[in-house]
Amino acid sequence: MATEPKTLDDLFLDTLKDIYYAEKQILKALPKMAKAASSPELKQAFQTHRDETETHVERLSEVFEAIGKAPRGKTCDAILGIIEEGKSIMEEFEGSPALDAGLVAAAQAVEHYEMARYGTLKAWAQELGHKEAVKLLDQTLSEEKKTDELLSKLGTGTANKQAA
């Protein structure tokens, strides 16, 4: 019995499960990063993004629903590695003036991963005709971009100078 070749629809669902898992892992990591940050602005940015991430998880559930699938995650080795790097920075630079700069860098690695995933998913949803999914994924992609811009400002504005 021959197996059917995988389709873009299969790839879309697989990647959707990947980012769903990733967002749930990010929810666990953000409070630790907020606690580790010394700058009040960086602490606040992590706390705000945690709240946004809860919305992202809810939105992903809506995307699953829009395509007629149950929300389910699939282990995302990439996000686990990025989060592990962040933990290493928190341990190795604890109490150091460079800690906040390292936290900004770790957070931006997460943001860039998320932006890549959401951009890809949005393009595939467009190709597959999932109009509601496109709208939901675009909302999250826009928020991830804004968070990345904020982190850049925090890094270049204070964290990097403090580290130097």
Side-chain angles (χ1 to χ4, degrees), residues 19-31 45-60 110-111 114 118 140 143-144 147:
I19 195 65
Y20 186 74
Y21 176 90
E23 290 284 22
K24 289 190 166 242
Q25 296 305 306
I26 294 163
L27 272 177
K28 294 178 194 173
L30 282 167
F46 288 144
Q47 290 164 346
T48 299
H49 194 57
R50 190 202 177 283
D51 295 341
E52 283 181 353
T53 301
E54 283 182 342
T55 302
H56 299 167
V57 171
E58 290 167 17
R59 234 183 249 141
L60 285 169
V110 169
E111 290 309 308
E114 289 176 301
Y118 284 111
T140 301
E143 290 169 5
E144 299 293 7
T147 298

Side-chain angles (χ1 to χ4, degrees), residues 43-118:
K43 279 183 186 293
Q44 185 58 52
F46 288 144
Q47 290 164 346
T48 299
H49 194 57
R50 190 202 177 283
D51 295 341
E52 283 181 353
T53 301
E54 283 182 342
T55 302
H56 299 167
V57 171
E58 290 167 17
R59 234 183 249 141
L60 285 169
S61 293
E62 292 176 42
V63 172
F64 277 105
E65 190 178 307
I67 63 168
K69 303 290 182 186
R72 250 185 7 161
K74 171 189 171 197
T75 301
C76 171
D77 293 326
I79 206 64
L80 292 176
I82 292 169
I83 289 171
E84 193 55 42
E85 282 182 9
K87 286 180 189 171
S88 294
I89 288 169
M90 286 188 281
E91 289 168 10
E92 292 174 29
F93 290 86
E94 184 179 9
S96 154
L99 176 61
D100 281 359
L103 288 170
V104 167
Q108 284 194 291
V110 169
E111 290 309 308
H112 291 193
Y113 180 78
E114 289 176 301
M115 289 186 302
R117 283 293 184 232
Y118 284 111

Side-chain angles (χ1 to χ4, degrees), residues 112-131:
H112 291 193
Y113 180 78
E114 289 176 301
M115 289 186 302
R117 283 293 184 232
Y118 284 111
T120 297
L121 284 166
K122 178 185 165 190
W124 290 344
Q126 284 172 320
E127 187 66 31
L128 294 166
H130 298 310
K131 291 180 179 154

